[in-house]
Structure formats: C-alpha cells, structure tokens
Amino acid sequence: MKQLNETLKNQIKEAIQNAEKNSSCEFVAIITQKSSDYGIYAFFVSAFSALLIPHLMLWLTDWLTLGDIFRLQIVLFIVLLIVTRLPIIAKRLVPHTVMRRQATLVAQESFRKFGLYRTTKRRAILFFVSIDEGYVEILTDIGIDAKISSEKWQPILEKFRHRLHTKSVGEGYLEAIESCGEVLAHEFPAEEGDIDELPNELIVGHID
C-alpha cells in the first residue's frame, strides 16, 4: 500500500495504544486494497464482447468464414479477459453499489474474523478501509452501541472518507482514532485490570 509507509503504520499503532490507555475499549485498524477481484464482471464483458464483435464484423463484411469467426471469438475473449482484469479497467466495469455492498460485507466479516465480538467487555471498535472501493467504515460492538449511537461517528467518518479520496489514508486513520478515542475515553474510561486483547498494529487484509 503506497499510501502507508512504515512511519505511518507505526504512528497508527501508537495512536491505538494511546487511545486504549485512556479507555476500556479495544481499537482495531484494518486496510485492504480491494474487497473482491470482481472476476465475474470481467468474464461476462469479455464473453459478451467476443460473441458480439465477430458477428457484427460478419454483418458489415462478406469475407469472414465461420471458422474465422470462431477463431476471432477465442482470441478476442482471451485478450479482453486479460485487459478487463487490469485494476484500472476492472473498477470501471463494476457498479458502485455492488462495490460498496461487497466492501460492507468484507468489513463485517473482518469484524468477526479478527475477533472484535469476543472481547471481555464487548467494547471493540473497528476502523476499516478498502482502497479500490473508496470505502471507509467504523464498526462497534454491542457494549459501545448500547451507549453511543452510530450517528455519533458520522462526522468522523465523513472526514475519514475525505482523507481517503485525497490519498491521505494514514492521516485519516490517525484523526479517526484520536477523535473516537476522545469520545470513548469519556463514555468508557480506563478501568483497573484492563488487558490488551486485540492487535494494535495496522492489519493489512487480503481477499481469499
């Protein structure tokens, strides 16, 4: 992830550690380049184009044989499948609503996968980013939800999203962690005997 060098990763880790010192909540930061490879869209576009274009050429000309069409379809399908799998092209084939829905599913799955629902006090908060989808989310466990409405995080989320769109995702993490940390420190101050149950390092996710 070009937007996050080792210095920023260490700063994010320190921000999480500082936030956890002042509250009885667990903070987790996850980032992934993309939430899916969306291969089905590349396959569909390639197959449809490979079927259509040779027949269009046959309609416009009279020199193509059935064998020529078949060979052209195979070549076009292979070339288009390679081209449409390029990230810069693939992102333009997938509807924004589909990408957002997929990123939401990955964020929710990450909450479960990394055990944010298993903390002792059920007070975990997740900062999730999916770069290609331009997606940012803040998810909290039931211990936090019982006291703080999700609307409380909206101004922080909007600022975080702006940071992502301006390619300043590292700064977005730092600001969001600090802002949420202040809210949680007030509502859930640190308690004697608190233990660190979840990783503080920025987690770089990978789609399976």
Side-chain angles (χ1 to χ4, degrees), residues 76-204:
L76 275 174
F77 176 73
I78 294 172
V79 171
L80 289 171
L81 190 59
I82 293 172
V83 171
T84 54
R85 292 301 294 268
L86 296 173
I88 192 171
I89 302 297
K91 286 196 296 184
R92 286 162 173 75
L93 296 177
V94 186
H96 179 71
T97 52
V98 172
M99 297 179 75
R100 180 175 177 82
R101 189 183 312 121
Q102 180 62 29
T104 300
L105 290 173
V106 173
Q108 294 170 346
E109 176 58 28
S110 296
F111 195 93
R112 293 187 292 271
K113 178 180 179 181
F114 292 97
L116 276 80
Y117 68 97
R118 293 201 299 263
T119 61
T120 303
K121 296 172 183 174
R122 301 296 300 270
R123 297 175 188 170
I125 180 168
L126 170 64
F127 302 87
F128 178 86
V129 171
S130 191
I131 298 287
D132 285 0
E133 288 79 3
Y135 180 85
V136 176
E137 190 59 273
I138 295 175
L139 297 175
T140 52
D141 203 4
I142 57 175
I144 296 176
D145 294 341
K147 200 168 184 180
I148 303 176
S149 169
S150 59
E151 283 74 20
K152 183 73 173 181
W153 314 121
Q154 289 309 308
I156 300 172
L157 262 177
E158 290 303 318
K159 192 172 183 180
F160 200 167
R161 287 169 184 151
H162 175 72
R163 285 292 196 181
L164 177 60
H165 293 152
T166 57
K167 301 187 184 303
S168 303
V169 65
E171 289 79 359
Y173 271 116
L174 295 174
E175 292 170 351
I177 292 167
E178 181 180 359
S179 297
C180 291
E182 292 174 355
V183 174
L184 294 172
H186 179 265
E187 297 292 344
F188 304 100
E191 300 173 2
E192 186 176 352
D194 282 342
I195 59 173
D196 196 354
E197 300 179 66
L198 297 173
N200 297 325
E201 296 82 4
L202 176 66
I203 298 170
V204 180

Side-chain angles (χ1 to χ4, degrees), residues 25-62:
C25 301
E26 288 285 330
F27 292 66
V28 175
I30 298 177
I31 188 168
T32 186
Q33 183 64 43
K34 57 185 178 180
S35 293
S36 172
D37 63 5
Y38 306 104
I40 187 64
Y41 288 89
F43 179 87
F44 176 79
V45 170
S46 301
F48 180 78
S49 300
L51 288 171
L52 178 64
I53 293 174
H55 285 86
L56 181 61
M57 292 177 65
L58 179 63
W59 182 67
L60 294 173
T61 65
D62 57 2

